[in-house]
Amino acid sequence: MKRIVIGLCAVLLIALCLPAYSAPDPMDTVKSYISQGMEIVGNKGLSRDAKIKKIEALYEKMVDEEELARRSLGRYWKSLTPAQQKEFIPLFRRVLENAYIDKILSYNNEKIVFSKQSRTSGNMAEVNSKVIMASKEIPITYRVIMKHGDWKVYDFVIENISLVQNYRSQFNAILAKETPAQLIETLKKKISRKQA
Amino acid sequence: MKRLSALCLIFTFLALGWAQSASGAQAAGAADDPPATLVAAPESSGTIGKSAEAGTGTSGTGIPDKPETIVVPGDDAGETAPAGDIGAEGEDPGEGEYGEPAITIADPLEGYNRVMFQFNDKLYFWVLKPVAQGYREIVPEAPRVSVNNFFTNLAFPIRFLNNLLQADFSGAVAEAGRFVVNTVWGIGGLMDPASSKQLDLPKHDPDLGQTLGMYGVGQGFYFIWPFLGPSSARDSLQVVSDYFLYPVSYINPWYASTGTRVYQEVNRTSLTIGDYESLKEAAIDPYVALRDAYAQYRQKKVEAAKGNLEPPKPGTLRIGQAQRQLSLLQEPTQQESPNEKEKR
């Protein structure tokens, strides 16, 4: 009996201690990041390199990179040593950057419509948007998580394909056969090949 | 005594749910938006799980399971509270690694598929892409879009039949409307006036794989067709049925029919050059990346069809959708288990 009461009290206490934050709106947050990005890309006064620098800085603010990396590795995240985890995060970002930066920079004032947002769980939400192009519409969903009072993106779902899950399936397939160190080597090779 | 503690628990959750709904939950969901309620539903499922945990946690080993069985229906019935986010709030977000259900597809023929992947890859880079690029140089984009529209319009029987099979009668009517409008006013389907703002009959693309999936047929295994690309055991049936439903198949002689198909493919490729390249560029293992993209894409399409199946009735919106959400969440794992057994 005592234990029940103590347990209940504990539950109550913890629950009440949860910050009664007036949460910012997930959609507003994502919208503001995207419009900042549009401004950078559309700014004709900036060189390509300057644009990339600014996009990188914006990406750092917008995305919870650790969350993204951790979810992309899934259950293998823990098989990396903390040092490897630290090494992995920026490498992964470079891979993403190499893959998508041209797409981002080729943005040419296509209309972006934010259609809805929805809570997926207590501290996570989804923001749905569409890029409307001449010949087609591309749906993009931003999955966001509440971190330190701010919504941070941890997954991009482009045309119904989750980036995190797509990488998770690849990393899982690779790590089923190789060590984390080898995976990191593979990423490094991929990045240097792009630069060459 | 147990009952008292359970009551206390319910009360706590209700109070917290109310408090949370005032601040957090409302901030996230636009109240006038039906989809917002859709997602409010799984939250309550999260709470159920958590409250059950809390129940066992606090009651200790002496009283197994009892609080759970009391709390769960109690919490469900407590419709008034858009049952708070306590579950997820209390949960360590760091551990929710599988927030989204993992969609997977079995791949027992990986050896064959990898060879076929290479074949299609080379086919694209050595033949299809250069031809499409040359074609793109000669023909401006507008006519190429028109040609694409024409072939899309021609595939009307596939979409219409699948709309009917999916019992999506409004979809079938819309599709028939699109066909008539585009054929008559769109010069045989070259243009797409049905999608214009005035008519607003948007494109849908139902297919047989989706229809089968909607009625519970799983993907089966992954299979790459030469020339046609990624497919699965289930979706391969679609390859067959589409052949018979697609008018181009009935062109005589056979080489004219094949030629038409090749031309259609070249034209389509000329509009999408770069898509496959960027997928490959982004991938660490392109084969796995494509396989996963295919699995996710098909799964989402089937889910979309299931969503159309039962229009929510006004009163039962929340419960019905909660159940559907739950069943959607559970489905991939159900499909997964036999697959995994196969692997072993």
Side-chain angles (χ1 to χ4, degrees):
Chain A
M1 186 54 224
K2 234 181 197 171
R3 278 163 72 189
I4 297 174
V5 173
I6 291 170
L8 276 178
C9 289
V11 168
L12 248 179
L13 253 178
I14 293 166
L16 288 177
C17 287
L18 291 171
Y21 52 79
S22 56
D25 210 42
M27 192 190 274
D28 288 345
T29 313
V30 175
K31 241 187 202 168
S32 111
Y33 285 130
I34 296 303
S35 64
Q36 285 174 50
M38 282 155 76
E39 245 165 59
I40 296 170
V41 175
N43 188 340
K44 292 201 174 78
L46 289 171
S47 70
R48 185 186 151 92
D49 287 343
K51 279 183 188 174
I52 293 178
K53 275 242 165 69
K54 288 204 162 187
I55 294 278
E56 275 175 1
L58 182 67
Y59 178 84
E60 264 170 45
K61 267 196 285 174
M62 174 179 178
V63 177
D64 187 333
E65 291 189 74
E66 194 191 323
E67 192 74 28
L68 180 79
R70 200 174 54 74
R71 285 170 181 271
S72 297
L73 278 170
R75 65 199 146 98
Y76 284 102
W77 174 250
K78 288 198 179 109
S79 67
L80 272 69
T81 64
Q84 282 172 328
Q85 292 176 352
K86 263 212 181 111
E87 201 183 353
F88 178 84
I89 294 171
L91 282 176
F92 189 38
R93 190 222 290 194
R94 283 308 300 274
V95 170
L96 293 178
E97 185 183 324
N98 287 346
Y100 292 104
I101 194 71
D102 286 332
K103 281 250 150 111
I104 294 170
L105 291 179
S106 73
Y107 170 78
N108 189 18
N109 274 322
E110 282 88 0
K111 206 172 155 201
I112 299 179
V113 180
F114 285 84
S115 48
K116 73 166 208 233
Q117 58 181 342
S118 45
R119 280 250 170 160
T120 44
S121 81
N123 57 351
M124 294 182 213
E126 282 188 357
V127 178
N128 300 63
S129 73
K130 261 184 198 159
V131 181
I132 299 176
M133 295 161 82
S135 54
K136 59 179 173 177
E137 294 181 357
I138 301 177
I140 300 180
T141 298
Y142 302 86
R143 293 199 167 134
V144 292
I145 186 165
M146 175 56 86
K147 283 275 173 84
H148 312 298
D150 248 331
W151 291 104
K152 295 266 194 180
V153 177
Y154 71 88
D155 190 5
F156 300 85
V157 186
I158 304 167
E159 292 197 89
N160 281 333
I161 294 165
S162 147
L163 182 108
V164 161
Q165 181 176 341
N166 195 268
Y167 277 102
R168 192 192 296 151
S169 70
Q170 296 176 56
F171 290 142
N172 281 1
I174 291 168
L175 287 173
K177 291 180 216 139
E178 296 178 7
T179 64
Q182 280 170 310
L183 174 67
I184 287 174
E185 269 316 300
T186 313
L187 291 185
K188 278 183 184 162
K189 258 188 222 152
K190 189 173 172 60
I191 292 163
S192 62
R193 217 183 309 139
K194 174 80 181 181
Q195 278 164 342
Chain B
M1 210 58 254
K2 287 174 209 161
R3 203 167 283 175
L4 183 74
S5 61
L7 268 175
C8 285
L9 261 178
I10 293 168
F11 179 76
T12 321
F13 286 131
L14 283 181
L16 277 169
W18 178 76
Q20 288 286 337
S21 71
S23 63
Q26 241 171 29
D32 51 341
D33 208 352
T37 27
L38 187 147
V39 258
E43 278 178 22
S44 64
S45 70
T47 326
I48 295 169
K50 202 63 198 176
S51 59
E53 265 175 52
T56 40
T58 47
S59 55
T61 46
I63 323 160
D65 296 349
K66 258 290 157 66
E68 277 180 44
T69 43
I70 299 169
V71 169
V72 173
D75 201 45
D76 246 354
E79 283 273 51
T80 42
D85 310 334
I86 337 134
E89 294 280 8
E91 198 174 85
D92 176 11
E95 297 312 309
E97 257 153 12
Y98 301 110
E100 308 84 39
I103 301 156
T104 51
I105 184 165
D107 192 4
L109 302 176
E110 188 172 338
Y112 157 84
N113 280 336
R114 277 191 187 265
V115 171
M116 211 35 84
F117 174 79
Q118 285 302 329
F119 174 79
N120 285 339
D121 185 75
K122 294 288 175 286
L123 184 75
Y124 177 78
F125 282 108
W126 292 353
V127 184
L128 191 56
K129 189 181 169 187
V131 173
Q133 269 173 330
Y135 173 72
R136 189 171 66 168
E137 293 292 310
I138 306 165
V139 186
E141 187 174 11
R144 282 183 286 126
V145 171
S146 291
V147 168
N148 203 43
N149 286 341
F150 173 78
F151 284 117
T152 310
N153 192 50
L154 207 57
F156 157 75
I158 299 172
R159 296 189 296 270
F160 185 68
L161 185 77
N162 279 294
N163 269 327
L164 291 181
L165 288 175
Q166 291 178 13
D168 180 4
F169 299 113
S170 63
V173 169
E175 201 50 62
R178 276 183 59 84
F179 180 69
V180 171
V181 168
N182 284 346
T183 306
V184 177
W185 282 279
I187 321 174
L190 288 173
M191 287 182 292
D192 186 10
S195 295
S196 66
K197 280 220 175 80
Q198 290 81 23
L199 288 171
D200 196 28
L201 286 169
K203 291 176 196 166
H204 289 287
D205 192 14
D207 59 60
L208 186 70
Q210 183 192 31
T211 306
L212 292 170
M214 195 181 101
Y215 292 112
V217 180
Q219 282 274 18
F221 53 86
Y222 185 59
F223 184 82
I224 300 185
W225 285 79
F227 304 103
L228 301 178
S231 188
S232 68
R234 178 190 74 198
D235 295 343
S236 291
L237 288 173
Q238 177 188 329
V239 173
V240 179
S241 90
D242 285 3
Y243 175 82
F244 288 106
L245 288 171
Y246 191 42
V248 169
S249 312
Y250 295 96
I251 297 178
N252 248 336
W254 66 270
Y255 48 82
S257 165
T258 312
T260 311
R261 271 181 191 269
V262 169
Y263 171 64
Q264 179 188 353
E265 194 54 31
V266 168
N267 184 72
R268 200 185 57 76
T269 308
S270 77
L271 292 168
T272 56
I273 286 179
D275 287 4
Y276 178 63
E277 287 86 340
S278 56
L279 183 138
K280 252 191 109 177
E281 174 58 45
I284 319 286
D285 181 341
Y287 171 79
V288 178
L290 186 65
R291 182 178 68 194
D292 174 77
Y294 182 76
Q296 285 197 49
Y297 171 72
R298 296 302 297 173
Q299 174 82 19
K300 285 282 154 57
K301 208 165 169 183
V302 169
E303 279 172 20
K306 277 185 184 163
N308 289 338
L309 186 60
E310 327 146 21
K313 286 169 207 130
T316 56
L317 189 77
R318 264 197 65 193
I319 297 168
Q321 280 179 340
Q323 280 165 349
R324 196 179 310 147
Q325 285 278 335
L326 282 175
S327 68
L328 286 183
L329 289 178
Q330 282 155 4
E331 192 189 76
T333 48
Q334 282 167 357
Q335 285 180 350
E336 209 175 79
S337 47
N339 295 344
E340 274 179 7
K341 267 176 213 158
E342 276 171 35
K343 274 181 200 162
R344 282 163 210 152

